[in-house]
Amino acid sequence: MDSADTTRGISNGEDTRSPFPEIIELNVGGQVYVTRHTTLIAVPDSLLWNMFSQKTPQELARDSKGRYFLDRDGFLFRYILDYLRDLNLVLPDYFPEKSRLQREAEFFQLHDLSKRLSPKVSKEDSICEDISQSDPEEAAILSGRGGSSSETSHLVPSVSSTNTRSPSLESRKSGYITIGYRGSYTIGRDIQTDAKFRRVARITVCGKTSLAKEVFGDTLNESRDPDRPPERYTSRYYLKYNFLEQAFDKLTEVGFHMVACSSTGTCAYASNDPNEDKIWTSYTEYVFCRE
């Protein structure tokens, strides 16, 4: 009988010439996946094919539990694995990570998948597929500008034209974005003592999805609300940094201005010891508008 395998897998009749078991456990960026060895080597000359057919288990990196480790985006790897199962790609509606998934496909050397994900450019005004997929409303505005294709060749200015405004600036929509954050601070017994503020834990973004993506781009964490259509509203996004001024600068650069703000403070801890400082928690929101 075969001894217990140390590669976090179970051998169930796979070709004995392979040093890998039939069932393999992967740790991809902290996300655990369980799949078949044949799935991982489904595409010849890909990175996973090379790892699991041309190398031995001892040559591959492992985590503390013996699972094969890949330092890549664990969320997007599910689509890589789905593609390897039947060489077909099915993405959810309004998928916002298409360009990043293409980057992952290139890393794993899945060239056919990368080609399917590459943006397609139209002849009229170079609207890429990513814009159409992520914001149908904006794509409709851009594609409708200029009428028929015969007219477009005369109406669309060249790069050297004095009118160099990009389509995204011409068609940007009005709306509101609310920035919120929670913080805490202490106030000493002497009311004139300087308050001690703690670091802002997270900056949240509320508003229409298309506006949030336009303003914050790659600094917007979309993993909490990945399938939200662009015309819908969300309160689940947050920023990948903790500096309010940086968020304000981003909003100002694209034409937003602050119209309202509010803040609340609650005493979270009050010790009976008179020498102890009181700890307060606060929640603050800033409302920005672009007309």
Side-chain angles (χ1 to χ4, degrees), residues 218-259:
D218 291 340
T219 63
L220 187 72
N221 189 306
E222 302 177 25
S223 63
R224 289 167 55 88
D225 211 356
D227 302 328
R228 177 71 60 170
E231 69 275 7
R232 295 287 297 277
Y233 291 87
T234 179
S235 61
R236 294 178 57 82
Y237 289 162
Y238 63 89
L239 301 180
K240 297 179 181 179
Y241 50 81
N242 299 318
F243 302 100
L244 282 171
E245 295 81 3
Q246 188 173 351
F248 294 168
D249 287 342
K250 287 278 189 180
L251 287 158
T252 302
E253 288 171 3
V254 293
F256 282 84
H257 61 277
M258 188 187 301
V259 294

Side-chain angles (χ1 to χ4, degrees), residues 15-55:
D15 192 339
T16 56
R17 292 174 296 179
S18 173
F20 294 95
E22 182 182 6
I23 307 300
I24 292 180
E25 291 186 38
L26 302 172
N27 177 348
V28 184
Q31 299 290 326
V32 177
Y33 292 90
V34 181
T35 187
R36 290 184 177 273
H37 176 252
T38 52
T39 300
L40 296 176
I41 61 173
V43 178
D45 299 321
S46 66
L47 178 67
L48 292 172
W49 178 87
N50 182 65
M51 289 175 59
F52 291 95
S53 67
Q54 304 301 304
K55 295 185 179 181

Side-chain angles (χ1 to χ4, degrees), residues 178-185 197 200 202-204 206 244 248 258 260-265 281-287:
T178 300
I179 301 296
Y181 76 94
R182 297 185 184 278
S184 63
Y185 55 94
F197 289 87
V200 174
R202 179 171 290 176
I203 302 175
T204 60
C206 305
L244 282 171
F248 294 168
M258 188 187 301
C261 66
S262 64
S263 182
T264 61
T281 60
S282 65
Y283 178 71
T284 306
E285 285 187 340
Y286 301 92
V287 181

Side-chain angles (χ1 to χ4, degrees), residues 205-221:
V205 177
C206 305
K208 188 171 286 188
T209 300
S210 58
L211 288 178
K213 291 179 181 179
E214 176 196 337
V215 175
F216 298 108
D218 291 340
T219 63
L220 187 72
N221 189 306

Side-chain angles (χ1 to χ4, degrees), residues 4-202:
D5 191 87
T6 59
T7 60
R8 299 293 297 175
I10 303 173
S11 180
N12 288 329
E14 188 171 323
D15 192 339
T16 56
R17 292 174 296 179
S18 173
F20 294 95
E22 182 182 6
I23 307 300
I24 292 180
E25 291 186 38
L26 302 172
N27 177 348
V28 184
Q31 299 290 326
V32 177
Y33 292 90
V34 181
T35 187
R36 290 184 177 273
H37 176 252
T38 52
T39 300
L40 296 176
I41 61 173
V43 178
D45 299 321
S46 66
L47 178 67
L48 292 172
W49 178 87
N50 182 65
M51 289 175 59
F52 291 95
S53 67
Q54 304 301 304
K55 295 185 179 181
T56 63
Q58 292 74 22
E59 295 179 84
L60 303 181
R62 311 281 190 89
D63 65 7
S64 59
K65 295 186 178 180
R67 295 175 291 226
Y68 296 107
F69 178 74
L70 291 165
D71 188 17
R72 301 302 297 181
D73 191 316
F75 172 78
L76 293 177
F77 187 74
R78 69 182 68 182
Y79 302 107
I80 298 293
L81 202 56
D82 282 345
Y83 173 77
L84 291 175
R85 290 188 178 111
D86 55 11
L87 301 184
N88 189 29
L89 178 65
V90 179
L91 298 176
D93 294 335
Y94 307 105
F95 184 68
E97 306 276 359
K98 202 168 185 180
S99 60
R100 296 176 186 173
L101 181 56
Q102 184 189 12
R103 183 178 61 185
E104 295 300 300
E106 292 173 353
F107 174 82
F108 286 105
Q109 299 172 21
L110 300 170
H111 305 300
D112 182 65
L113 177 59
S114 178
K115 289 179 181 178
R116 296 188 193 186
L117 293 167
S118 61
K120 296 177 177 58
V121 181
S122 64
K123 295 181 180 179
E124 287 79 10
D125 47 11
S126 300
I127 303 173
C128 70
E129 186 179 358
D130 282 344
I131 294 179
S132 301
Q133 290 282 346
S134 62
D135 197 341
E137 184 178 344
E138 182 175 352
I141 296 174
L142 295 179
S143 60
R145 176 167 34 89
S148 64
S149 58
S150 60
E151 295 173 349
T152 303
S153 60
H154 300 287
L155 294 176
V156 175
S158 64
V159 175
S160 59
S161 172
T162 56
N163 182 11
T164 58
R165 295 185 64 192
S166 64
S168 60
L169 290 178
E170 293 178 2
S171 60
R172 65 184 188 181
K173 299 181 291 295
S174 60
Y176 291 85
I177 288 181
T178 300
I179 301 296
Y181 76 94
R182 297 185 184 278
S184 63
Y185 55 94
T186 60
I187 300 179
R189 289 173 299 140
D190 183 355
I191 209 65
Q192 296 182 359
T193 303
D194 290 339
K196 299 176 182 178
F197 289 87
R198 290 188 181 181
R199 180 183 179 187
V200 174
R202 179 171 290 176

